[in-house]
Structures are given as structure tokens and as C-alpha cells.
Amino acid sequence: MSDLFAAVAGGREEVRDGMVLLRGYADSIRLLPLIAAIADSAPFRRMATPGGRAMSVAMTNCGALGWISDARGYRYEATDPLTGAPWPPLPVPFAALATAAAAAAGFAGFAADACLINRYAVGTRLTAHQDRNETDFAHPIVSVSLGLPAAFFVTLDDRRGGRTRSVILEDGDVVVWGGPARLAFHGIREIKPGHHPLTGPYRYNLTMRRAG
Ligand SMILES: O=C(O)CCC(=O)C(=O)O
Ligand SMILES: [Mn+2]
């Protein structure tokens, strides 16, 4: 494990079967400049839902594949539809963090090839959904929270309207889910007003996936 995350490692908590929360595992001071560099070439944008509405959360990607939504649906693409260029490469510290966090959560050998970057302004949210556009659900999802806190919820029984558990995710917290939780419904409740010393009025989230 590199000092990028070992230095800030905190507690380990099971959120539900197959989902582990690693408190304070990621170092936002190291990660945020990498996000800014990615956004210089692949800007944050509010993608359109298949139904034609703009999503409230602004998104971009890095890695060999990037997740997109538009009138044709949800999918991964190798190029950014905004620029026509390949998505910026997955920074080595992102990939290393994903592999180490997955191993710490019990998913050894994870190698991410895609990273969706979400930017939440105050008042935005992400409704309940499954991450299911990846080709092989044997691989876990690694989610990194940076900046303002957020209430993350997950269903306990894989039904959209099922019972949920909520946890507050703070700057540096990493959640890993796979196995029995891989297709759990999850989302983010409305971000409360606040100011974070590193991100101001925003929360950033990286979800690292094996998409292809
Ligand atoms: O922001 C989060 O913590 C979750 C993000 C998420 O579920 C997603 O991007 O699919
Ligand atoms: Mn998700």
C-alpha cells in the first residue's frame, strides 16, 4: 500500500452484506488537483437522461472507458462526446487507490479501467439506481468521496423501493461494493448547504469500475 492512502487509513465498517466503508482512506489533497487536470480537457457537464432532462449532478470521466447518458440511453464510450477525444487516462494514484481499497474490502486483484467523476453542488442528488452498464458484475465498484459530506443510501435487499441503510460519507471516505451487493440500489440524498476548505460548495465523487 502506498503512503497515498496508508497515512490516512481509518476505520472499516460493513454497511451491508458485500459493502464496506473505509473511513478516511483517500487523501483529497492529493486527488483533487488530478480531478482539476482531468476537467481541463474533459469538462464537467450535466448529461441528458434518456427521457431528455438534464441530470442535476455534473459529470466527467477518465480511463479507457467513460460512462455517458443521452437520448440513446446509458452506456460506456471510449471517447468524450463533448470533444470527440479519448477520455483522459486514469491517473496512476486513482488506479492504485482503487486496487488497494478493493483488496482492503475483500476484493483482491481489482483493476479499474473506468472512472466516473461526479460533481455535486448544494441541492443536487442522485436518485436510486444500480450500476449495471459494466460487462462483468464479478468486479466491485470503488467509490471515493471528496469535499462536502453527503448522505449515501443503499437498499438491503436489491429492490428499488426496498429497505435502505444510510451513511454519511465525508471527505476521504471510500465505499467498496461487490458480490451480493454489486447490484444493490443506491444513491445520494440532496447535498446540504456547506463549505469545505478544499472544495468550497461542492462534493466530488469518483466511482472506479471495471467497465470493459
Ligand atoms: O456519489 C456517490 O457517492 C455515488 C455515485 C454513484 O452511485 C454513481 O456515480 O453511480
Ligand atoms: Mn452508482
Side-chain angles (χ1 to χ4, degrees), residues 3-204:
D3 64 352
L4 174 61
F5 14 99
V8 289
R12 182 186 192 283
E13 191 183 317
E14 181 155 283
V15 180
R16 56 151 280 174
D17 193 22
M19 180 176 278
V20 171
L21 167 53
L22 304 166
R23 289 269 183 215
Y25 197 80
D27 182 356
S28 50
I29 292 179
R30 301 277 297 275
L31 297 172
L32 286 165
L34 300 171
I35 295 176
I38 290 162
D40 278 346
S41 47
F44 283 100
R45 80 293 305 263
R46 291 174 62 200
M47 298 186 191
T49 65
R53 296 163 60 125
M55 298 181 72
S56 72
V57 177
M59 298 176 175
T60 186
N61 289 277
C62 60
L65 293 168
W67 185 88
I68 64 164
S69 174
D70 62 17
R72 286 167 48 211
Y74 305 135
R75 64 193 178 280
Y76 284 92
E77 293 277 2
T79 53
D80 179 349
L82 206 59
T83 64
W87 297 104
L90 191 68
V92 170
F94 285 20
L97 171 59
T99 299
F107 302 97
F110 176 60
D113 64 0
C115 175
L116 172 63
I117 308 175
N118 295 315
R119 187 185 67 194
Y120 297 81
V122 168
T124 63
R125 67 198 178 105
L126 197 61
T127 55
H129 66 278
Q130 295 168 299
D131 294 346
R132 57 167 195 203
N133 300 118
E134 302 73 32
T135 51
D136 182 356
F137 301 140
H139 301 293
I141 302 280
V142 175
S143 164
V144 180
S145 292
L146 305 167
L148 280 183
F152 171 85
F153 63 91
V154 60
T155 53
L156 300 178
D157 60 5
D158 296 357
R159 285 185 303 119
R160 184 185 291 276
R163 264 191 328 128
T164 57
R165 179 163 176 216
S166 294
V167 286
I168 303 295
L169 299 180
E170 313 241 17
D171 180 64
D173 289 349
V174 176
V175 184
V176 181
W177 64 94
R182 179 60 181 76
L183 290 175
F185 282 87
H186 59 279
I188 293 289
R189 300 200 202 283
E190 197 171 292
I191 304 287
K192 298 209 169 107
H195 180 91
H196 188 275
L198 297 174
T199 65
Y202 293 107
R203 169 180 187 261
Y204 292 88

